Amino acid sequence: MEQNMQVLEYLQKKAALLPRTPGVYIMENKEGTVIYVGKSRALRNRVSQYFHGSHDIKTSRMVSHVRDFRYITCDTEMESLVLENNLIKQYTPKYNILLKDAKSYPYIKVTTDEEYPRIVMSRKRGEKGLYFGPYSNTKVIGNIISTIEKTLGIPSCKKKFPEDIGRGRPCIYRQIGRCCGVCTGAISVQEYNELIQCAIQMLRGNTREVERALEERMGQAAQQERFEEAARCRDVIAALHRLGDRQKTQLSPDTDCDVIALSSHEGCDCAAALYIRGGAICDSEYFMFGADEITGAQAYNEEENLPGNAGEDSPFAAFIVNLYRCREYIPKEIYFPFHLRKMTDKLQSLICLSVQGKRFKSVHRYEESRGICAKWRSETQCGTV
């Protein structure tokens, strides 16, 4: 006990000597191993808080293992946020939130460099093509690609075009109307690429635009007595309507947003993200945090107990940055169904700047965001999403 008091006194005195400038602090245990990395706009204030007063269970556990700390001063808060993320990746500290490496996330790739582009899954983004994602797992990608192929009649076989056009008999999918029949020469390169453009718009969540374009094309084809092409457009429009009927949310069809929730129960923290495109939930992702990973979830659930700078220095800010750093598309609105009033406009600007220069608007309307989550849960249980 006496030794612990001596350590605590040493840490308190050392923290009191820190500068009141932006920077990153690095906590170490008795073996000198880095166990936690954090950032602050005022190092002395933030680090001193760890060694005074009471904390939640996870933070108290981390502090009990701290025997020393280092710090690196930065010129700006932006610099400290970037440095914090880099150090977390370098040391993988026990008490920090650690996300899956972006390289392991799957993407949907459209091979736009080919004469007859294909829609495939890819884990690499270095090759030529148009990429969408990343998505939470390969099953989600499989369902999306299958839905697009069925809706637009894009071939799902392994034939290579134009080499295999006219070779062999068409497959069963062509016979039952599930494929546009590129292998038979039934459609031109231009028509096929128009279907691929429709697929790209669907992947971007612009289903309404696809419908309008197809309706216009169907009318023109009918006027010019190209009835087979008009019938194909009609069938695709009908398939899009059926797809929209299966994907119901409480949002308008032109809504693109993300919903992020963070919850804590008996020492177990979980974050969930719903990705909504074109008014429909296209993907969801869960992040279960271990007993030692500090998320600040309990503090968010009890906003009145937050210290003045808790939102700005929260480890959840680093989580959001890492979550969106590897994403191609970031919506204009991100819903947080918990209190973020302590997370100032300055911190939101830092997050925006660090995510590939893209900006978003933080929205914390509790009833609306919680309603989205409740709607999603009910539809998932009914199997409609």
Side-chain angles (χ1 to χ4, degrees), residues 146-196:
S146 177
T147 299
I148 291 175
E149 289 174 346
K150 292 176 183 177
T151 303
L152 300 178
I154 295 174
S156 58
C157 60
K158 296 182 179 180
K159 291 183 178 180
K160 294 183 178 181
F161 305 115
E163 293 88 342
D164 291 335
I165 294 178
R167 293 185 180 180
R169 297 176 57 186
C171 65
I172 186 65
Y173 291 116
R174 170 59 178 168
Q175 298 175 19
I176 64 175
R178 281 266 302 274
C179 178
C180 62
V182 179
C183 61
T184 65
I187 67 171
S188 64
V189 178
Q190 181 181 353
E191 288 179 301
Y192 179 81
N193 278 277
E194 287 176 355
L195 290 177
I196 293 297

Side-chain angles (χ1 to χ4, degrees), residues 100-308:
K100 185 166 59 173
D101 188 357
K103 294 181 180 178
S104 61
Y105 280 100
Y107 292 82
I108 291 179
K109 176 184 177 183
V110 182
T111 59
T112 51
D113 57 322
E114 299 177 357
E115 184 178 3
Y116 286 82
R118 295 168 295 122
I119 303 174
V120 297
M121 187 198 79
S122 175
R123 290 189 181 274
K124 296 181 180 180
R125 298 188 59 252
E127 302 172 355
K128 292 182 179 179
L130 189 60
Y131 291 85
F132 297 89
Y135 292 89
S136 56
N137 56 65
T138 56
K139 184 178 179 181
V140 171
I141 287 185
N143 290 336
I144 293 173
I145 293 177
S146 177
T147 299
I148 291 175
E149 289 174 346
K150 292 176 183 177
T151 303
L152 300 178
I154 295 174
S156 58
C157 60
K158 296 182 179 180
K159 291 183 178 180
K160 294 183 178 181
F161 305 115
E163 293 88 342
D164 291 335
I165 294 178
R167 293 185 180 180
R169 297 176 57 186
C171 65
I172 186 65
Y173 291 116
R174 170 59 178 168
Q175 298 175 19
I176 64 175
R178 281 266 302 274
C179 178
C180 62
V182 179
C183 61
T184 65
I187 67 171
S188 64
V189 178
Q190 181 181 353
E191 288 179 301
Y192 179 81
N193 278 277
E194 287 176 355
L195 290 177
I196 293 297
Q197 288 303 314
C198 288
I200 290 172
Q201 291 301 319
M202 289 179 65
L203 288 168
R204 288 174 175 164
N206 300 329
T207 306
R208 294 286 292 267
E209 293 184 14
V210 174
E211 288 184 19
R212 284 193 289 266
L214 287 170
E215 288 171 355
E216 183 179 347
R217 180 179 161 190
M218 180 178 64
Q220 292 176 353
Q223 288 179 357
Q224 298 173 10
E225 297 184 355
R226 292 182 280 114
F227 299 116
E228 290 186 4
E229 182 181 344
R232 283 198 295 268
C233 292
R234 177 204 61 201
D235 294 340
V236 172
I237 292 171
L240 287 172
H241 287 164
R242 291 193 297 271
L243 180 64
D245 290 339
R246 290 199 303 269
Q247 294 182 318
K248 298 177 181 177
T249 66
Q250 293 178 324
L251 304 179
S252 60
D254 58 348
T255 299
D256 281 10
C257 67
D258 291 349
V259 181
I260 299 177
L262 179 63
S263 180
S264 177
H265 180 67
E266 296 183 355
C268 179
D269 296 349
C270 175
L274 303 182
Y275 306 109
I276 300 171
R277 303 293 179 264
I281 299 173
C282 68
D283 194 10
S284 61
E285 200 166 5
Y286 303 93
F287 306 90
M288 296 297 298
F289 303 113
D292 295 325
E293 292 179 285
I294 299 174
T295 64
Q298 185 175 355
Y300 281 120
N301 292 335
E302 302 172 1
E303 185 196 23
E304 62 274 10
N305 295 328
L306 281 172

Side-chain angles (χ1 to χ4, degrees), residues 20-156:
R20 289 192 176 95
T21 58
V24 174
Y25 52 91
I26 305 165
M27 303 290 193
E28 300 175 345
N29 63 11
K30 61 182 179 180
E31 287 83 18
T33 303
V34 175
I35 60 174
Y36 188 74
V37 174
K39 69 175 185 314
S40 178
R41 64 174 180 174
L43 282 170
R44 184 190 301 179
N45 297 348
R46 181 56 177 158
V47 176
S48 294
Q49 288 175 357
Y50 285 107
F51 310 119
H52 293 86
S54 58
H55 308 283
D56 60 65
I57 296 175
K58 292 186 178 183
T59 304
S60 298
R61 187 182 298 123
M62 183 274 290
V63 172
S64 68
H65 289 88
V66 175
R67 293 296 178 270
D68 203 353
F69 62 84
R70 297 181 279 123
Y71 68 94
I72 302 173
T73 59
C74 301
D75 294 331
T76 64
E77 292 178 66
M78 178 63 207
E79 185 181 339
S80 65
L81 181 62
V82 173
L83 178 59
E84 178 197 29
N85 279 275
N86 291 336
L87 291 176
I88 289 174
K89 290 180 180 179
Q90 177 182 344
Y91 292 114
T92 61
K94 179 178 179 180
Y95 294 98
N96 279 101
I97 301 174
L98 303 176
L99 291 182
K100 185 166 59 173
D101 188 357
K103 294 181 180 178
S104 61
Y105 280 100
Y107 292 82
I108 291 179
K109 176 184 177 183
V110 182
T111 59
T112 51
D113 57 322
E114 299 177 357
E115 184 178 3
Y116 286 82
R118 295 168 295 122
I119 303 174
V120 297
M121 187 198 79
S122 175
R123 290 189 181 274
K124 296 181 180 180
R125 298 188 59 252
E127 302 172 355
K128 292 182 179 179
L130 189 60
Y131 291 85
F132 297 89
Y135 292 89
S136 56
N137 56 65
T138 56
K139 184 178 179 181
V140 171
I141 287 185
N143 290 336
I144 293 173
I145 293 177
S146 177
T147 299
I148 291 175
E149 289 174 346
K150 292 176 183 177
T151 303
L152 300 178
I154 295 174
S156 58

Side-chain angles (χ1 to χ4, degrees), residues 36 39 81 84 97 260-263 270-272 287 289 294-297 300 310-323 335-340 343 347 351:
Y36 188 74
K39 69 175 185 314
L81 181 62
E84 178 197 29
I97 301 174
I260 299 177
L262 179 63
S263 180
C270 175
F287 306 90
F289 303 113
I294 299 174
T295 64
Y300 281 120
E312 298 165 355
D313 296 333
S314 167
F316 200 70
F319 168 83
I320 294 172
V321 170
N322 282 326
L323 180 64
Y335 289 76
F336 298 93
F338 44 79
H339 297 278
L340 277 183
M343 186 177 283
L347 175 62
I351 295 173

